[in-house]
C-alpha cells in the first residue's frame, strides 16, 4: 500500500512539477536573451554577420570564397573596429564547407542545432553579397539586413573593371549604412555622423590607405574630396590637419583647420586640444594660448562634463550619441571601442593632466621658472602618456642656451619621459610626428639625445635605416 501511494505521489510530481520547471527554464532563457540584446544595443556593439557570397555558376565557387575573404578583410580594417561574426552553418573566411557545420542527428546534435538557431537570433547586421551577371567583368549586389527581424536596411549594386574596386565600393556602402542605422546612430555624436553620400566614406577609406603607405599628399587630396561631401563630419578635418601638421614646414596650415573645428563643434574636446597643441608648437602669443587652455580646463571639469551629460538627456535636446560621448570621458572602460584604461584613470584625467603640463610649458616660455617645479609635481603618479610626451618636449626646449651638466640634466629628463611614452602599451604614439616635432629638435641636436632618438626612430637622413615600432 505504501509503495503504491509513493508511486502515485511521484507520478503527480512528474506531471505537475516537471512542466512548471521547464516553463521556468524557458522563461529564464527568454529573460537572459532580452537582457543580452538590450546590453548589446546599449553598448553599441551590434555585430556584423558576413554571410557566404552567393553565386549562380559552379565555376564561381573559388571566386566567391576569395571575395568573401577580401570583403571581410576590408570591414575588419575599419576604425573603430567592427565586431564581425560568421552566421552558423555557412562557409566563412576560413573557407570551410557549409556541410562541416551540420551537427549529427543525435541528442547532442539537436541541442547544438538549437543553440545555433538561438545564436542566429541575436541583434546583428547581416551582410549578403551575390555575384551577378553584368556587361562589366566584375559585378556584385549588396544587401544589409537588421537581424533577427530580417528587415532589409539597404540594397545596392556595384560593377567595375576590377574586383578590388568593387569590393571597396561594397564595403564602404555597407559600413556607411550600418553606421547610419538606428542601432548605431544612437551611440554616435552629431559631429561624427555620416550622410547618405556613398562617395564620402569611400574617399575617407582611400585616404586612410594612402596615409598607411606614407603618401600624405595623396591622402590629403582624398580627405578634401570626402569633406566636400561630409561637411559636418569633424573627424575628416581633424585627420587632414593631423597629416598636414606631420609634414615638415606646414604647421601653419593646420592651425586654421583646428580653429575651424573648434568653432563649429566647441563640444569636441579632441579638436580643441589639438588646436592648442598646434598653437603651442607654432609659438603663438602666450596670453592667447593660456586663455584657450583655461577654457579647455573648464570644459574638462567634472561639473562641466556632468552638466553636458545631463543636458543631452533633456527633452528637446536629447541626444544619446552625445550622452555616450560625455560618459566615455569619466569611465575607465570605453564600452564603444573596448579600450581599457589603467585603474583609477580615465580620458578626462589623461587630457586634463596633459593640458596642465602644456600650461606650465607656456608659462616657462614667459620666464616663470617655478613652472618647472610645478610640472614635476604633475608628472608624479600616473599622469598618462600625453602628459609625459608634453613634458619631454618642454624639457627638450630648455636645452637651448644651456651647457654642461644643466643641458645634460634636461636631456636626461626629456629622454626619461619619452621612454615612458614608448613603454606605455596604451600610448597612441606616432613616430612620424616625433621625427618632425620642432620641440624635440634641441634634444636631437644633443649628443645623448641624437644617439637615443636614432636608435628608436631611425636616422632621417638614411632612408634605409630600420625604424623601431
Amino acid at each position: 500500500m505504501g509503495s503504491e501511494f509513493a508511486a502515485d505521489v511521484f507520478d503527480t510530481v512528474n506531471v505537475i512539477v516537471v512542466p512548471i520547471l521547464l516553463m521556468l527554464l524557458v522563461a529564464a532563457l527568454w529573460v537572459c536573451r532580452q537582457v543580452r540584446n538590450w546590453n548589446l544595443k546599449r553598448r553599441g556593439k551590434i555585430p556584423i554577420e558576413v554571410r557566404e557570397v552567393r553565386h549562380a555558376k559552379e565555376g564561381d565557387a573559388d571566386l566567391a570564397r576569395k571575395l568573401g575573404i577580401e570583403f571581410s578583410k576590408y570591414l575588419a580594417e575599419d576604425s573603430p573596429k567592427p565586431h564581425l561574426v560568421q552566421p552558423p552553418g555557412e562557409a566563412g573566411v576560413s573557407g570551410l564547407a557549409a556541410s562541416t557545420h551540420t551537427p549529427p542527428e543525435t541528442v547532442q546534435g539537436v541541442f547544438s542545432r538549437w543553440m545555433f538557431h538561438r545564436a542566429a537570433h541575436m541583434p546583428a547586421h547581416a551582410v549578403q553579397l551575390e555575384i551577378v551577371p553584368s556587361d562589366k567583368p566584375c559585378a556584385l549586389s549588396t544587401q544589409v539586413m537588421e537581424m533577427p527581424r530580417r528587415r532589409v536596411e539597404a540594397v545596392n549594386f556595384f560593377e567595375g573593371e576590377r574586383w578590388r574596386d568593387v569590393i571597396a565600393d561594397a564595403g564602404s556602402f555597407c559600413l556607411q549604412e550600418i553606421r547610419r542605422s538606428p542601432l548605431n546612430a544612437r551611440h554616435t555624436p552629431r559631429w561624427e555622423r555620416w550622410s547618405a553620400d556613398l562617395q564620402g566614406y569611400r574617399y575617407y577609406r582611400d585616404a586612410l590607405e594612402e596615409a598607411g603607405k606614407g603618401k600624405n599628399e595623396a591622402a590629403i587630396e582624398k580627405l578634401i574630396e570626402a569633406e566636400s561631401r561630409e561637411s559636418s563630419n569633424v573627424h575628416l578635418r581633424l585627420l587632414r590637419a593631423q597629416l598636414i601638421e606631420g609634414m615638415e614646414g606646414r604647421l601653419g596650415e593646420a592651425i586654421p583647420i583646428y580653429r575651424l573645428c573648434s568653432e563649429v563643434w566647441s563640444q569636441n574636446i579632441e579638436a580643441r586640444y589639438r588646436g592648442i597643441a598646434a598653437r603651442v608648437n607654432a609659438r603663438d602669443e602666450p596670453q592667447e594660448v593660456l586663455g584657450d587652455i583655461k577654457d579647455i580646463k573648464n570644459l574638462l571639469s567634472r561639473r562641466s562634463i556632468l552638466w553636458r551629460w545631463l543636458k543631452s538627456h533633456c527633452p528637446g535636446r536629447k541626444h544619446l550619441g552625445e550622452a555616450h560621448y560625455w560618459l566615455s570621458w569619466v569611465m575607465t572602460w570605453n564600452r564603444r571601442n573596448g579600450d581599457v584604461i589603467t585603474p583609477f584613470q580615465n580620458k578626462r584625467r589623461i587630457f586634463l593632466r596633459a593640458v596642465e603640463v602644456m600650461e606650465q610649458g607656456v608659462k616657462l616660455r614667459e620666464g616663470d621658472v617655478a613652472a618647472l617645479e610645478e610640472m614635476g609635481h604633475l608628472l608624479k603618479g600616473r599622469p598618462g602618456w600625453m602628459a609625459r610626451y608634453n613634458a619631454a618636449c618642454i624639457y627638450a626646449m630648455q636645452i637651448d642656451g644651456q651647457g654642461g651638466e644643466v643641458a645634460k640634466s634636461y636631456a636626461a629628463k626629456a629622454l626619461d619621459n619619452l621612454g615612458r611614452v614608448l613603454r606605455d602599451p596604451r600610448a597612441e604614439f606616432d613616430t612620424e610626428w616625433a621625427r618632425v616635432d620642432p620641440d624635440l629638435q634641441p634634444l636631437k641636436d644633443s649628443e645623448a639625445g641624437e644617439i637615443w632618438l636614432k636608435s628608436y626612430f631611425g636616422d632621417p637622413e638614411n632612408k634605409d635605416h630600420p625604424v623601431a615600432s
Side-chain angles (χ1 to χ4, degrees):
M1 186 69 180
S3 60
E4 293 179 358
F5 178 77
D8 292 340
V9 172
F10 183 75
D11 293 339
T12 304
V13 170
N14 285 339
V15 172
I16 298 176
V17 176
V18 172
I20 293 177
L21 291 177
L22 289 176
M23 292 177 62
L24 291 176
L25 178 61
V26 172
L29 291 175
W30 183 85
V31 171
C32 291
R33 175 188 170 190
Q34 297 302 318
V35 171
R36 180 203 63 184
N37 295 350
W38 171 81
N39 193 38
L40 284 173
K41 296 177 182 179
R42 180 179 65 87
R43 294 168 58 184
K45 294 182 70 68
I46 308 300
I48 303 175
E49 290 185 355
V50 183
R51 297 180 176 269
E52 185 179 7
V53 181
R54 294 177 179 173
H55 54 281
K57 301 178 181 179
E58 295 183 1
D60 291 340
D62 292 337
L63 175 61
R65 187 176 296 109
K66 292 179 181 179
L67 293 180
I69 295 173
E70 289 297 324
F71 183 74
S72 299
K73 179 175 177 290
Y74 190 88
L75 297 185
E77 290 176 349
D78 199 56
S79 182
K81 298 292 184 182
H83 180 49
L84 302 184
V85 296
Q86 177 184 333
E90 293 195 6
V93 296
S94 61
L96 296 176
S99 60
T100 59
H101 297 279
T102 305
E105 292 297 333
T106 60
V107 175
Q108 293 84 357
V110 173
F111 180 75
S112 177
R113 186 181 291 109
W114 181 80
M115 290 297 293
F116 280 149
H117 176 74
R118 304 314 298 172
H121 282 72
M122 66 185 299
H125 298 285
V127 178
Q128 180 69 67
L129 301 181
E130 183 176 1
I131 303 175
V132 294
S134 173
D135 296 335
K136 294 189 176 181
C138 310
L140 280 177
S141 68
T142 308
Q143 186 178 36
V144 181
M145 293 184 296
E146 179 188 337
M147 303 298 288
R149 291 185 290 179
R150 302 182 64 84
R151 185 177 67 182
V152 177
E153 294 184 327
V155 179
N156 210 330
F157 172 77
F158 302 96
E159 58 182 1
E161 300 295 332
R162 298 188 307 171
W163 281 115
R164 183 173 181 273
D165 295 333
V166 174
I167 287 294
D169 289 335
S172 297
F173 166 74
C174 293
L175 287 170
Q176 186 177 18
E177 291 298 328
I178 289 173
R179 292 189 185 281
R180 295 177 63 247
S181 67
L183 291 177
N184 289 317
R186 66 194 300 270
H187 295 271
T188 306
R190 288 176 294 175
W191 50 80
E192 294 181 7
R193 290 287 183 90
W194 293 91
S195 69
D197 193 333
L198 299 181
Q199 289 298 320
Y201 201 90
R202 174 65 195 277
Y203 279 124
Y204 164 68
R205 288 299 304 270
D206 290 345
L208 293 181
E209 185 176 350
E210 296 292 343
K213 297 177 182 178
K215 301 177 181 179
N216 289 349
E217 288 288 356
I220 291 172
E221 293 179 3
K222 295 290 185 181
L223 287 173
I224 293 175
E225 292 289 341
E227 291 170 19
S228 64
R229 291 167 168 79
E230 303 289 342
S231 57
S232 61
N233 196 315
V234 72
H235 180 67
L236 299 174
R237 286 178 170 79
L238 289 178
L239 180 58
R240 179 162 66 95
Q242 184 178 358
L243 292 176
I244 294 175
E245 191 178 3
M247 302 172 70
E248 191 170 0
R250 299 184 60 178
L251 178 59
E253 300 178 32
I255 294 177
I257 303 176
Y258 286 131
R259 184 179 290 112
L260 175 63
C261 295
S262 300
E263 291 174 355
V264 175
W265 295 112
S266 59
Q267 308 99 314
N268 193 311
I269 298 177
E270 294 91 341
R272 301 186 71 172
Y273 175 82
R274 292 183 183 179
I276 294 173
R279 295 186 63 185
V280 170
N281 292 331
R283 307 294 193 273
D284 275 4
E285 180 62 33
Q287 293 302 325
E288 295 181 4
V289 176
L290 288 175
D292 292 342
I293 289 177
K294 182 179 179 181
D295 293 339
I296 194 174
K297 286 174 67 176
N298 294 333
L299 184 61
L300 283 168
S301 65
R302 292 188 181 90
R303 181 182 301 177
S304 174
I305 291 178
L306 177 61
W307 166 245
R308 293 176 185 276
W309 179 79
L310 292 174
K311 191 167 66 173
S312 60
H313 288 84
C314 294
R317 295 185 178 181
K318 186 174 181 179
H319 197 286
L320 295 179
E322 294 182 17
H324 283 86
Y325 173 79
W326 293 113
L327 188 63
S328 68
W329 285 90
V330 295
M331 297 184 64
T332 58
W333 182 19
N334 187 344
R335 293 183 180 272
R336 182 184 175 194
N337 299 331
D339 297 331
V340 181
I341 304 177
T342 307
F344 308 106
Q345 189 67 280
N346 53 40
K347 284 174 60 178
R348 187 194 73 86
R349 294 177 181 176
I350 292 174
F351 271 75
L352 183 60
R353 191 63 62 88
V355 170
E356 291 174 344
V357 171
M358 192 186 302
E359 181 182 22
Q360 302 306 319
V362 177
K363 291 181 179 180
L364 189 62
R365 190 185 304 168
E366 287 191 301
D368 188 356
V369 183
L372 277 176
E373 183 178 355
E374 180 64 25
M375 188 171 64
H377 292 299
L378 293 174
L379 295 176
K380 293 181 178 180
R382 295 175 176 176
W385 73 270
M386 296 173 64
R388 292 284 184 188
Y389 183 77
N390 290 343
C393 294
I394 294 172
Y395 284 125
M397 288 188 296
Q398 296 304 306
I399 298 176
D400 276 343
Q402 303 291 340
E405 296 299 326
V406 177
K408 291 182 181 179
S409 174
Y410 285 136
K413 291 181 179 179
L415 294 175
D416 176 63
N417 284 281
L418 200 55
R420 291 173 182 265
V421 173
L422 293 171
R423 293 193 298 270
D424 190 346
R426 302 178 184 88
E428 301 174 4
F429 186 63
D430 187 4
T431 56
E432 292 299 323
W433 172 241
R435 294 174 184 271
V436 299
D437 194 344
D439 292 341
L440 291 178
Q441 190 58 45
L443 182 63
K444 299 174 186 177
D445 296 336
S446 66
E447 182 178 355
E450 181 182 9
I451 298 173
W452 193 92
L453 291 172
K454 283 184 179 180
S455 66
Y456 268 94
F457 307 126
D459 189 354
E461 298 180 358
N462 183 8
K463 295 183 180 180
D464 295 331
H465 192 285
V467 180
S469 57

